[in-house]
Amino acid sequence: MLKFNISKVIFFSVILCIICIFTASVSVNNLNASGNLKSVKKGGDDDKPAEEVFKNIQVLKGIPSGQLKNVMQFMRASLNVNCGFCHVHNDVDHTWDFASDSVEEKNVARKMIDMVKSINTAHFEGNTSVTCFTCHNGSEHPMRTPTLPQHMAEKETIEHPEKLPEVSLLFSNYEKAVNNNKPEELKTKYSKGTVTGMDGKAYPVEIYQQAPNKYLSIVTTPEGKSYKGFDGTTGWMKNNSGVKELSGFGLQQVKDFADFYGDMNLAQKYTDTRFIGTDTANGSNCYVLRCIVDDKVSVRLYFDIQSGMLSRKNVYTKSILGNIPERTDYLNYSGSDLKYPSVMNFYYLDPWSESQRNLTEVKYNVPLDGIDFTMPAK
């Protein structure tokens, strides 16, 4: 955890909220398809400056438009509010006027973003050491006064294992369990089970994957089948509303799902690694590794000390306002020859993107006859 010089951190009791940067003509679907810092589609709208794609950009000029969803969700989560806290919503036809400045909280937020940027520039060498969450900590109004009654803080005790294993040994033992140290021999994968969204409803799902990065999931709901795919270049979804090409966060999410060897070949994927200690994840004691992917993305891997299996993966992506977190929990490893987590929980700043995947069947190197990963015609 970062430790700050408290004399440098200025706490302001103001309302920080979501900035109005979306045009009135942008649909809710387009808002939900905006993305994070990871570059996901060169030459598309994701890489264009936000002010060229959306209207009324005032304090976030120059950031890629594909970052906007997670930047918005970062502010929403920091205050624990919803979009209507700053944006105008029509309750009759359920449309949004994102370009409107009629909500005063939005105008205050612009000033607060400039304030935070100034603090970080003047005191923290431009790093995002102070963020919306630093002061608000999940509350609409920051706390300015300690609560009463006060209690003496308990002395913190930290247990350190006498000897930490080599990083290469952690990777090797895990990879032997999930791919027999021969990931190149695995070419296709079929998974079957259920997927549960934020609403708590579970629906049947079938997932087809082809190495290195093709993916197709088919979820069956009472309204019909919903498809989401990635053909190695283009991400897409299809449901009763039609066919839509994915962008931003939606595209990056399906690319992560499509990475066939992503959680199989960790030693190749993460080369800049170091131990940062031990912690708990999913009720188990874990070794924790920090992995630097590039200057924007870092990852923390949690390996169960007893089983050696990967228990959790946290991904942190830098944004103009702070690190955007993502988390995947791996539970209930199954399989005889090749182990796989039969339960996976996916967590994001946008709670409606969260899901749980429960797998009842997983097969490798099966024929995928008739499976087409390309986007259907619109």
Side-chain angles (χ1 to χ4, degrees):
M1 180 181 295
L2 287 174
K3 294 183 179 180
F4 304 107
N5 183 339
I6 194 64
S7 64
K8 290 184 176 181
V9 181
I10 304 174
F11 292 92
F12 291 78
S13 179
V14 293
I15 299 175
L16 255 169
C17 69
I18 301 170
I19 302 169
C20 178
I21 56 177
F22 294 99
T23 174
S25 64
V26 176
S27 68
V28 173
N29 285 335
N30 285 335
L31 171 63
N32 288 339
S34 299
N36 54 25
L37 258 172
K38 302 173 185 176
S39 179
V40 294
K41 189 176 181 184
K42 297 296 183 183
D45 284 351
D46 284 349
D47 294 319
K48 291 181 180 179
E51 64 270 23
E52 293 185 11
V53 179
F54 306 105
K55 295 180 180 178
N56 206 12
I57 302 292
Q58 295 190 25
V59 295
L60 296 180
K61 290 183 178 180
I63 71 169
S65 63
Q67 297 181 15
L68 291 181
K69 178 193 175 180
N70 277 341
V71 169
M72 296 297 101
Q73 289 293 344
F74 184 90
M75 289 186 279
R76 182 207 59 76
S78 294
L79 276 71
N80 191 29
V81 295
N82 56 43
C83 302
F85 188 71
C86 284
H87 295 294
V88 176
H89 181 257
N90 189 320
D91 294 331
V92 177
D93 58 9
H94 303 291
T95 58
W96 292 87
D97 184 1
F98 292 111
S100 173
D101 286 341
S102 61
V103 181
E104 179 58 24
E105 283 81 356
K106 185 191 307 176
N107 298 315
V108 174
R110 291 194 178 104
K111 299 176 183 178
M112 296 303 99
I113 293 301
D114 283 335
M115 177 199 72
V116 170
K117 289 163 65 176
S118 297
I119 293 172
N120 286 323
T121 299
H123 300 284
F124 298 100
E125 299 179 346
N127 296 314
T128 52
S129 298
V130 174
T131 72
C132 310
F133 192 78
T134 304
C135 296
H136 284 270
N137 198 23
S139 175
E140 181 179 325
H141 299 282
M143 294 290 292
R144 294 184 295 175
T145 306
T147 58
L148 297 176
Q150 283 286 294
H151 302 281
M152 292 300 296
E154 296 182 4
K155 183 178 180 180
E156 184 178 6
T157 58
I158 302 176
E159 296 183 2
H160 297 283
E162 293 183 2
K163 186 178 180 180
L164 294 172
E166 294 291 333
V167 172
S168 59
L169 183 62
L170 274 183
F171 283 165
S172 177
N173 289 340
Y174 166 76
E175 290 170 2
K176 183 178 181 180
V178 298
N179 63 31
N180 283 334
N181 288 328
K182 297 179 180 179
E184 68 280 356
E185 294 183 358
L186 304 177
K187 301 297 183 182
T188 64
K189 181 179 179 181
Y190 168 77
S191 305
K192 182 180 180 180
T194 61
V195 61
T196 304
M198 183 66 177
D199 58 3
K201 297 179 181 179
Y203 300 109
V205 62
E206 292 184 287
I207 301 172
Y208 303 86
Q209 294 176 255
Q210 180 177 308
N213 58 355
K214 293 185 178 180
Y215 174 91
L216 176 66
S217 70
I218 305 174
V219 179
T220 301
T221 72
E223 290 75 31
K225 294 184 180 296
S226 177
Y227 302 80
K228 184 175 289 187
F230 185 73
D231 63 4
T233 302
T234 303
W236 55 273
M237 64 181 299
K238 176 184 176 182
N239 52 32
N240 291 340
S241 300
V243 178
K244 186 180 78 170
E245 182 174 352
L246 296 174
S247 61
F249 172 75
L251 177 58
Q252 186 59 52
Q253 185 184 49
V254 76
K255 284 182 67 176
D256 291 339
F257 290 158
D259 187 356
F260 192 89
Y261 301 117
D263 292 331
M264 291 185 185
N265 198 348
L266 301 181
Q268 180 176 332
K269 185 172 184 179
Y270 303 114
T271 56
D272 185 356
T273 63
R274 69 176 179 87
F275 269 104
I276 60 173
T278 60
D279 202 348
T280 58
N282 303 318
S284 299
N285 294 323
C286 297
Y287 295 121
V288 184
L289 301 182
R290 188 200 68 178
C291 310
I292 303 299
V293 178
D294 53 37
D295 62 345
K296 293 183 175 63
V297 180
S298 65
V299 175
R300 291 193 179 188
L301 302 176
Y302 293 68
F303 289 92
D304 188 297
I305 292 177
Q306 296 298 321
S307 68
M309 304 306 291
L310 184 63
S311 183
R312 176 172 295 169
K313 178 175 69 176
N314 289 343
V315 180
Y316 302 95
T317 305
K318 290 182 180 179
S319 79
I320 191 172
L321 295 184
N323 286 336
I324 305 297
E326 302 173 22
R327 177 176 131 190
T328 304
D329 284 349
Y330 306 84
L331 303 162
N332 300 347
Y333 278 84
S334 303
S336 54
D337 296 331
L338 301 178
K339 299 293 184 182
Y340 64 89
S342 60
V343 178
M344 298 176 68
N345 295 327
F346 303 95
Y347 301 99
Y348 308 96
L349 282 180
D350 179 2
W352 287 101
S353 296
E354 294 180 357
S355 65
Q356 181 182 83
R357 186 185 295 172
N358 290 268
L359 301 180
T360 56
E361 182 180 356
V362 173
K363 296 179 179 179
Y364 291 96
N365 289 338
V366 294
L368 301 181
D369 299 334
I371 299 302
D372 190 355
F373 297 96
T374 58
M375 185 173 73
K378 294 183 178 181

